[in-house]
Amino acid sequence: MIVDRSDEVPRLKWPRRFPVPRNLGVAVHSRIAEGKSWPAPEGATRIATLRIYRFDPDGMAGPRLDTFRVDLDDCGPMLLDALIWIKSRIDPTLTFRHSCREGVCGSCAMTIDGTNWTACTRAMADLAQPAMIFPLANLPVIKDLVPDQSHLFAQYEMIEPWLHAETPAPERERLQSPRERAALDGYYECILCFCCTSGCPSHWWNGDRFLGPATLLQAWRWLADSRDEGRGERLDALEDPFRLYRCHTILNCTRTCPRGLNPGRAIAEIKKKMIERQG
Amino acid sequence: MSHRRPKSPNMQNYRPQLTSVLSFGHRLSGVALSLGAFGLAGWLMAGASGQDAFGSAQALLLSVPGRIALFLVTLALFYHLCNGVRHLVWDSGRGFELRAIYAGGWTVVGTSLILALALWTWWPA
Amino acid sequence: MTIRHIPPFARARGLGAAGHGTAHWWAQRVSAAGLVPLVLWFALALAGGAAADHAKLVAWLAAPLNSGLMILLLMAGFHHAALGLQVLAEDYIHSGARFVAVAAIQLACFAGAVFGIASVLRVALMP
């Protein structure tokens, strides 16, 4: 019942999702239909069933849910291994992003059994049966498991994630004590996978204007950097009932970060800074 | 023809977790208490209108549906109070480790239930 | 149906930062902090039978401490409720109706507080 680390898989089998019809309140073009079902490979003894969201932008149909059966003795231990196995053995049209296969690039972030994580660090043994593999929540889908993150990156760009310094660059480094450098720990490690933002209910309802935990965590990364000289302007840009203050400390973000970071804490620190400059 | 890209599901697919469920409970109890606040103002107006009006108000509150409503409001009150304190702790910057979030969450659920039941067993009227 | 092609950066920027938001957030926390003891006092007083009948209610509110705390409870409570319901409206209503809803919430909560305070004073001053 008590979760210590974000990489702990939920233990309760129910509820995996709100017990409502899958297409309740969903726009017509986003409704998910039942898709194809592929048989288990011959001679396979250990089989895992994956139900994967599919969408073909070149076709006329809407999204569907395909069922694949993976031979666990024939592929690697992680979900990404299974997806690559499916693409090479069963259906070459299955489309997903992946790169480092070790949890440091953020490309393979997706909604796995109802929570966001990177596929390369989610073990097949930790999946439900059947596993539900969806693209990251609440994003336009380009194809299959590939979401359109251009709005999220535009929000990130808006907070100007680079050093604001009028002091000319010194001969060597801009100096920072070990303690000042430690203030960046827990924030600089963000890989911009957007698992947190995609899992934030406030971003679901107000994602147009609310920046979301990933962008706000990075905003704090720059606010906390002792070398940065633009703290005031950064806070001015966040002084808005929607950009920052749609955060109601729901904390789905901290629960789901595949890197174990804490966007909730970062946002609380930003709010404290906003108060600090008022009095 | 380019048709609109579908949107991946959010609430219909995402797992309800302690974090989001307790947060929604805080919101729901807040709405219930807002209605309760207007009820309180109405009850006070009945008190200011004399004995008869107040008697009717009390009779309404002590009827079966009235008691049920009052119990739910008490539950909402203590839940919102305990979780509100949890929120104030977060606002000070503390308690963001996952362990503290979960332990605090279960503590809030248990404490609010205990306080609501205690008030009602101690308040037989 | 026309599809509007808004460049992502324009969509993210929106109409710029409004320049306020912290005051609302702070007022919510301050009223919350004030409400913690006030609500506990109120719950315990009612459980102890302070308003079991009309005579007891009049006697209870005749004491300036009790009527004072009751007025504080109404003020802090309706202020906190107004702020909280405003957040609710901003979260869920995305059309221009949002502004109507926020205005209605502010007015209703202000009225509720005024009616409550007027009633407390009336009861407190009853012979």
Side-chain angles (χ1 to χ4, degrees):
Chain A
M1 306 288 254
I2 305 280
V3 170
D4 273 314
R5 298 155 51 96
S6 58
D7 56 11
E8 285 180 31
V9 178
R11 265 161 262 156
L12 291 176
K13 295 255 187 299
W14 188 91
R16 289 218 191 92
R17 43 184 290 279
F18 278 109
V20 295
R22 202 168 264 293
N23 287 319
L24 182 74
V26 171
V28 177
H29 61 283
S30 302
R31 288 189 194 146
I32 306 167
E34 192 59 39
K36 287 189 216 163
S37 180
W38 273 266
E42 280 183 27
T45 43
R46 294 196 312 137
I47 297 168
T49 310
L50 302 181
R51 304 248 292 151
I52 304 182
Y53 181 104
R54 306 295 306 276
F55 171 66
D56 180 10
D58 299 319
M60 296 307 291
R64 59 178 208 271
L65 211 54
D66 281 1
T67 308
F68 294 94
R69 288 162 183 90
V70 177
D71 182 358
L72 291 172
D73 293 318
D74 196 29
C75 78
M78 300 312 210
L79 174 61
L80 181 63
D81 298 318
L83 292 173
I84 293 170
W85 183 89
I86 293 172
K87 190 174 175 71
S88 59
R89 304 291 171 93
I90 312 286
D91 182 1
T93 64
L94 181 65
T95 307
F96 48 94
R97 291 188 178 113
H98 64 292
S99 183
C100 73
R101 92 293 178 249
E102 60 180 5
V104 295
C105 74
S107 306
C108 62
M110 51 187 75
T111 305
I112 303 162
D113 288 335
T115 55
N116 295 339
W117 201 258
T118 40
C120 59
T121 51
R122 177 63 78 220
M124 289 299 288
D126 285 337
L127 297 181
Q129 281 300 308
M132 304 298 283
I133 315 295
F134 276 68
L136 274 186
N138 202 60
L139 291 172
V141 178
I142 300 174
K143 182 175 181 176
D144 290 351
L145 299 170
V146 177
D148 178 5
Q149 296 177 332
S150 47
H151 176 62
L152 301 181
F153 278 108
Q155 289 182 317
Y156 175 57
E157 189 184 344
M158 197 175 72
I159 58 140
E160 301 188 357
W162 51 82
L163 194 70
H164 285 178
E166 286 188 12
T167 312
E171 289 252 327
R172 294 185 59 183
E173 311 91 340
R174 293 181 190 266
L175 294 178
Q176 216 174 24
S177 71
R179 194 172 189 185
E180 287 167 339
R181 171 59 186 80
L184 300 178
D185 288 342
Y187 308 114
Y188 79 91
E189 302 96 322
C190 174
I191 57 177
L192 294 174
C193 67
F194 291 111
C195 280
C196 56
T197 302
S198 157
C200 174
S202 230
H203 199 267
W204 295 346
W205 318 138
N206 295 104
D208 264 12
R209 298 168 69 181
F210 175 46
L211 294 180
T215 299
L216 288 170
L217 182 127
Q218 286 304 300
W220 176 248
R221 177 252 175 277
W222 290 103
L223 284 164
D225 196 328
S226 57
R227 301 163 295 178
D228 190 73
E229 294 164 17
R231 220 155 274 129
E233 289 78 40
R234 293 186 189 280
L235 291 174
D236 287 340
L238 294 173
E239 183 74 63
D240 185 88
F242 279 81
R243 286 186 184 183
L244 169 67
Y245 286 107
R246 277 313 97 185
C247 172
H248 308 310
T249 329
I250 300 172
L251 292 178
N252 262 16
C253 51
T254 303
R255 176 65 184 92
T256 208
C257 179
R259 301 291 293 161
L261 305 182
N262 206 320
R265 175 187 284 133
I267 295 172
E269 295 295 334
I270 299 177
K271 290 173 181 169
K272 280 166 68 178
K273 274 280 177 278
M274 300 291 263
I275 292 290
E276 193 183 318
R277 68 178 193 155
Q278 298 244 333
Chain B
M1 172 198 127
S2 70
H3 47 108
R4 287 177 66 178
R5 287 175 171 159
K7 217 170 201 198
S8 53
N10 47 59
M11 201 180 62
Q12 301 83 356
N13 187 54
Y14 207 81
R15 188 188 173 91
Q17 300 174 299
L18 193 77
T19 46
S20 50
V21 170
L22 291 193
S23 177
F24 185 68
H26 194 73
R27 178 160 278 194
L28 199 65
S29 58
V31 171
L33 287 171
S34 300
L35 297 172
F38 284 102
L40 177 67
W43 179 75
L44 286 169
M45 284 175 76
S49 305
Q51 228 163 355
D52 296 330
F54 191 68
S56 316
Q58 290 292 77
L60 187 68
L61 285 175
L62 296 174
S63 66
V64 171
R67 277 177 196 270
I68 294 174
L70 268 181
F71 181 70
L72 291 174
V73 166
T74 320
L75 204 58
L77 183 81
F78 284 118
Y79 176 78
H80 199 84
L81 180 72
C82 295
N83 206 36
V85 169
R86 185 168 167 243
H87 261 90
L88 290 174
V89 170
W90 284 330
D91 292 332
S92 74
R94 284 184 277 269
F96 278 103
E97 309 77 36
L98 269 175
R99 189 181 189 84
I101 293 169
Y102 269 72
W106 287 117
T107 306
V108 160
V109 171
T111 310
S112 48
L113 267 168
I114 290 168
L115 286 175
L117 288 168
L119 194 82
W120 272 77
T121 50
W122 183 35
W123 181 17
Chain C
M1 190 191 91
T2 52
I3 299 174
R4 300 178 64 204
H5 292 283
I6 305 171
F9 200 47
R11 186 172 159 227
R13 272 213 156 132
L15 297 171
H20 69 89
T22 304
H24 184 288
W25 185 87
W26 179 245
Q28 186 73 320
R29 270 70 191 164
V30 169
S31 57
L35 276 170
V36 172
L38 284 168
V39 156
L40 285 172
W41 162 81
F42 182 65
L44 288 173
L46 281 194
D53 57 53
H54 194 253
K56 284 207 184 130
L57 178 74
V58 174
W60 180 57
L61 285 178
L65 181 69
N66 292 331
S67 51
L69 286 172
M70 197 66 216
I71 291 173
L72 283 175
L73 174 68
L74 286 165
M75 288 175 72
F78 274 105
H79 189 35
H80 190 83
L83 293 170
L85 290 173
Q86 180 180 343
V87 167
L88 207 83
E90 287 170 349
D91 270 359
Y92 296 134
I93 308 173
H94 297 116
S95 65
R98 184 169 69 250
F99 294 96
V100 177
V102 169
I105 288 163
Q106 309 284 27
L107 292 171
C109 289
F110 190 70
V114 166
F115 283 124
I117 292 169
S119 304
V120 168
L121 290 172
R122 178 75 186 87
V123 173
L125 296 170
M126 264 181 187

